[in-house]
Amino acid sequence: MNKIQLAESLPMALRYVPRHCLQSNHLRGWATTLMVFAQLALAIAFAAWTWRAEVSPAWLWPLSWLVTGFVLPAIFVLGHDFGQLSVFRQRWLNSALGHLCFLPALYPFHAWRFAHDAHHKYTNKLNPKHELYDENTWLLETLEEYTDRSIDVPLPRWLYYLTRVVLPIGSLLYLIKFLYRPAILREAPRAPVYRSYAFLAIGAPALAALIYFALIFTGHTPAESLLGILHFWVLPTIFLQIWMVSYTYLQHTASDSRFFTPEEW
């Protein structure tokens, strides 16, 4: 059997996957979850050490953003597995921990899961309308579509080009344009998606307030505490976007990848 035949049949491909890889393991799931959050705790401790000017020079701050930026993708990938309900058998447990993992990156968990399921369901399908149910990670366009856009609407064409040159911009625009657009609230299953946005609406300000008042409590001024939100959260999240968009780009882009029109697909 050649690779093409294997790739065209999911049941055939599953025969080559060890059975234990398809089964939930609570012990391994909890061990991985605790390990990843322990890494986050160490990254925060390092950021706190660099924050103390009398202990470390300010030029170490970017290093702490980089370190935390390395840990946050691991948390996001863990949230990805929670979103695919593959870590624990209990759906509610996967969902609760998924919300927690996605909070630092400001991603709405259920909305992302709904879109990501569509992405897997319609892998490598070109969709000129970019409808929700046909969502592809990179909102792919054919050369003809890109050329037509260049003539008719130059600004979106320029933004499309910019997202492929400055990759983190693409990730941020994708997050804002897709995950927070009204269509996903209309078309996705209502209850879980609204819970997702409600969790972000409450959780994100609560996280910012926690950082702010923790710094106030330790003797910092209000202005310093606002800077601390940037130091401990916002700037590391930008590094997260850089890593996310880089490995997603590598995962979904290859010269020999095949993409299909709706008719071919």
Side-chain angles (χ1 to χ4, degrees), residues 103 106 200-218 221-222 224-226 228-230 232-234:
L103 176 60
L106 295 177
L200 267 185
I202 297 172
L207 181 57
L210 179 64
I211 298 172
Y212 182 82
F213 287 111
L215 292 170
I216 289 288
F217 180 78
T218 55
T221 66
E224 289 173 337
S225 299
L226 288 175
I229 293 176
L230 292 174
F232 286 98
W233 184 20
V234 177

Side-chain angles (χ1 to χ4, degrees), residues 125-127 129-131 134-142 145 149 160 164 173-174 177-178 181:
K125 178 183 177 182
L126 291 170
N127 177 36
K129 296 181 181 179
H130 302 322
E131 295 176 354
D134 293 339
E135 191 269 329
N136 272 301
T137 300
W138 292 98
L139 299 178
L140 300 166
E141 289 185 339
T142 64
E145 290 175 319
R149 185 187 293 268
Y160 187 88
R164 268 103 184 121
L173 287 178
Y174 171 81
K177 177 179 181 294
F178 180 74
R181 67 179 181 173

